[in-house]
Amino acid sequence: MAESGFKKWIITITVIIASLLELIDTTIVNVSIPQIQGNLGATITDAAWVVTGYSVANVIILPMSGWLSSFFGRKNYFLTSIIVFTIASFLCGNSSSLTELVAFRILQGLAGGGLLSTSQAILIETWPAEQLGTATALFGLGAVVGPTIGPTIGGYITDHAAWRWIFYVNIPVGILASIFTVMYVKVTSRDGKDKPIDWWGIALLAITVGSLQTILEKGEDEDWFATTYIIVLSCTAVIGLLLFLWRELSTDHPIVNFKIMRHRSFSAGMVTSFILGVGLYGSQFVFPVFCQNLLGFSAQQTGEILLPGGLFTIMMMPFVGIMLNKGLPAQFMAVGGMILFFIFSWFMSGSTLVSGTGDFFWPLAIRGIGLSLLFVPLTTIAIGGLKGAEIGQGTGLNNMMRQLGGSFGIAGLNTLIHIRVATHRNNLLSNINPYNNYFTDRYNALLHGFMAKGKSFFDASKMAYAAIDGTVNKQSTLLSYNDAYIVVGWVMLAAIPLIFLAPIVKGQKAVADTH
């Protein structure tokens, strides 16, 4: 039964706050890893598990969130997730060792995984069918803007306070969300309470998704299959996936209901959500690293550059919802979003070592508009044919696919950059020879410059070659990041035909079918 008036809006605010808690924490920690490392006396590799542990736990719980909502009741599960997330945030901030911090981040990730999909399911049932495009757009604010503003908030807090406050800031927000949930979110029936628990399904899901997510998070750092535990995890993920699919399709009470894949629109939405994750999180990964490693920007400066793009997303979301409510087909809007994302990538692939904040404003604005045209329509396509209990299962699987897409995107781009740096360096080094006038002019200028400062010919020559080598390294890295941008763009453009795997229906009809 849909809500109206004040109660509808207060529930909407509550679920957006809850989803923002989870999504901001996926990226807020990234910029604070060096400070955490130094404070807790850990290596950078060990400290990275603070991010990895959260991501692994998050992705494991997402596909289970529909079943957990059914077993415990949606309100009970939602409220418990908020409370556990808030407590885990305090424990993370209060950690005295890296082991404690990673353990509490895993707990935070398990609770956070329950917030995202449950928030979306509550929102779908709170708003009337004819206004659901607007509701999905409002939810999309958290899903798209959260990862964008996370580095900004994390950078500001880290620069002006201690890293522990990136966790403590969750506490008052979590308390507020808990109070609103108790007061306004309606209780739902516990449909799964008396049904057998699929313990084998839970175990196989945790093993499969946990192994896969760990591979994606750590593969590049461990040189992929050159490391024994990556090979073991890869075999475990493949075998676990086959057993998990067999188990869930053969049991009467599955932990993940794959039968909802019979809806063509949902299956198409799953694929396109995966692609959206590649573009959203992949570009979110490349840009901050590019700005900080090559252009010398601070974490806070990088976050401030990203912020206007997020504002464009915020401004566009209500418009997207209105267009869906008026019946504009979701597929047409998604195609526009894919094209805009390609334009953003094409502009960014022309970056140079002297690019400044003004050079990034419009490309990031285009990205922000593109994301608003992608998230809501693709979500509408995915959930269009789902009803009742299928909504919770569908939102969980859909969100998991977007998160996995992000993990695949980041891992793939990280590997691409690593490979392309070596390729570009070899190509550039072929020009370092006495027959190249550009090289000899540069070398002589540097040589005479160092000798004018009192260096001997031998020392000045070494310093000139070192300076040229540094330039080659920077240019190689720059070209590699530019390659990464354009690859993201082509992936998004190539995904356009996949959007039309789902039947074309008007936005209002699509969301009305969920009620």
Side-chain angles (χ1 to χ4, degrees):
M1 180 86 180
E3 304 288 352
S4 61
F6 173 78
K7 190 173 182 180
K8 178 182 73 174
W9 283 103
I10 199 71
I11 292 174
T12 301
I13 292 170
T14 301
V15 299
I16 290 174
I17 288 173
S19 60
L20 273 173
L21 273 176
E22 194 276 331
L23 287 159
I24 288 176
D25 268 64
T26 61
T27 55
I28 194 173
V29 177
N30 297 21
V31 296
S32 303
I33 290 297
Q35 287 81 359
I36 293 173
Q37 172 198 358
N39 188 255
L40 298 181
T43 65
I44 192 69
T45 302
D46 291 338
W49 281 101
V50 175
V51 176
T52 303
Y54 182 90
S55 299
V56 171
N58 207 258
V59 175
I60 287 174
I61 212 71
L62 273 171
M64 293 175 54
S65 57
W67 174 81
L68 289 167
S69 294
S70 175
F71 188 83
F72 293 106
R74 187 166 292 151
K75 177 176 179 176
N76 295 336
Y77 177 55
F78 184 61
L79 179 61
T80 301
S81 295
I82 295 173
I83 293 172
V84 173
F85 188 93
T86 306
I87 294 172
S89 296
F90 168 77
L91 294 173
C92 286
N94 208 43
S95 298
S96 57
S97 69
L98 184 66
T99 303
E100 285 183 19
L101 181 56
V102 172
F104 294 137
R105 277 286 282 174
I106 292 173
L107 178 62
Q108 194 184 41
L110 291 172
L115 290 177
L116 191 60
S117 300
T118 313
S119 295
Q120 194 171 4
I122 291 172
L123 197 65
I124 290 170
E125 294 189 342
T126 298
W127 281 68
E130 64 274 11
Q131 298 177 348
L132 206 58
T134 303
T136 308
L138 291 171
F139 179 80
L141 291 179
V144 176
V145 176
T148 302
I149 66 174
T152 307
I153 297 173
Y156 183 85
I157 292 174
T158 303
D159 288 348
H160 294 86
W163 63 265
R164 299 179 185 277
W165 282 96
I166 63 177
F167 300 111
Y168 290 148
V169 293
N170 292 333
I171 297 172
V173 181
I175 292 172
L176 184 65
S178 299
I179 294 171
F180 284 167
T181 300
V182 171
M183 294 177 62
Y184 297 107
V185 175
K186 65 182 179 182
V187 176
T188 58
S189 60
R190 299 169 62 184
D191 298 329
K193 179 183 177 183
D194 299 321
K195 297 177 182 178
I197 299 176
D198 182 19
W199 292 110
W200 277 108
I202 294 173
L204 289 169
L205 175 65
I207 291 170
T208 302
V209 178
S211 298
L212 177 60
Q213 186 71 5
T214 303
I215 293 166
L216 295 173
E217 293 278 343
K218 307 299 291 184
E220 176 61 22
D221 294 338
E222 301 291 351
D223 197 19
W224 294 104
F225 299 108
T227 307
T228 302
Y229 89 85
I230 294 294
I231 296 174
V232 172
L233 287 178
S234 300
C235 295
T236 303
V238 172
I239 296 171
L241 176 61
L242 295 174
L243 291 174
F244 177 66
L245 291 173
W246 171 78
R247 171 68 185 180
E248 298 309 280
L249 293 173
S250 61
T251 183
D252 294 330
H253 304 285
I255 199 75
V256 177
N257 181 17
F258 284 111
K259 292 178 182 177
I260 62 176
M261 300 290 289
R262 70 183 184 279
H263 300 287
R264 196 172 64 163
S265 58
F266 178 73
S267 299
M270 290 267 286
V271 176
T272 50
S273 289
F274 182 89
I275 300 298
L276 174 60
V278 172
L280 172 61
Y281 292 102
S283 60
Q284 191 69 33
F285 159 75
V286 173
F287 184 76
V289 177
F290 165 68
C291 286
Q292 293 177 54
N293 287 0
L294 278 181
L295 303 184
F297 294 169
S298 68
Q300 183 177 338
Q301 287 175 315
T302 304
E304 290 170 351
I305 294 171
L306 285 166
L307 196 55
L311 294 178
F312 273 92
T313 303
I314 292 172
M315 290 187 293
M316 282 294 296
M317 282 292 191
F319 168 77
V320 173
I322 292 169
M323 290 298 100
L324 283 173
N325 289 340
K326 288 185 175 181
L328 183 66
Q331 281 89 343
F332 294 171
M333 301 184 76
V335 168
M338 294 287 190
I339 293 172
L340 287 177
F341 215 100
F342 175 80
I343 293 172
F344 150 76
S345 301
W346 183 75
F347 274 121
M348 293 301 298
S349 68
S351 299
T352 69
L353 293 175
V354 294
S355 294
T357 54
D359 299 304
F360 301 133
F361 180 84
W362 285 113
L364 290 173
I366 292 170
R367 176 183 180 271
I369 296 171
L371 286 174
S372 68
L373 292 172
L374 283 171
F375 182 86
V376 180
L378 292 182
T379 302
T380 301
I381 291 170
I383 66 175
L386 306 184
K387 297 180 178 66
E390 290 182 339
I391 295 174
Q393 288 276 359
T395 54
L397 280 172
N398 193 51
N399 285 315
M400 183 197 73
M401 288 301 289
R402 188 172 62 253
Q403 297 285 86
L404 279 178
S407 297
F408 271 94
I410 291 171
L413 291 175
N414 205 9
T415 302
L416 173 71
I417 290 169
H418 180 76
I419 293 171
R420 295 298 290 171
V421 164
T423 302
H424 286 303
R425 178 176 167 80
N426 288 336
N427 292 336
L428 291 174
L429 285 176
S430 66
N431 297 308
I432 308 299
N433 62 73
Y435 304 104
N436 187 321
N437 292 333
Y438 292 104
F439 162 70
T440 55
D441 288 346
R442 180 63 175 163
Y443 170 76
N444 288 328
L446 289 169
L447 178 69
H448 293 128
F450 289 130
M451 291 179 67
K453 294 180 180 179
K455 302 294 181 182
S456 67
F457 175 84
F458 179 75
D459 288 340
S461 180
K462 286 178 59 179
M463 294 172 71
Y465 275 114
I468 291 172
D469 186 62
T471 301
V472 168
N473 287 336
K474 278 192 172 183
Q475 289 291 339
S476 301
T477 306
L478 170 68
L479 293 171
S480 300
Y481 282 118
N482 288 348
D483 289 344
Y485 285 125
I486 202 64
V487 165
V488 170
W490 280 114
V491 168
M492 299 297 282
L493 206 60
I496 288 178
L498 300 175
I499 296 173
F500 294 98
L501 292 176
I504 296 178
V505 293
K506 292 185 177 181
Q508 186 173 344
K509 182 182 184 302
V511 295
D513 288 344
T514 65
H515 286 247

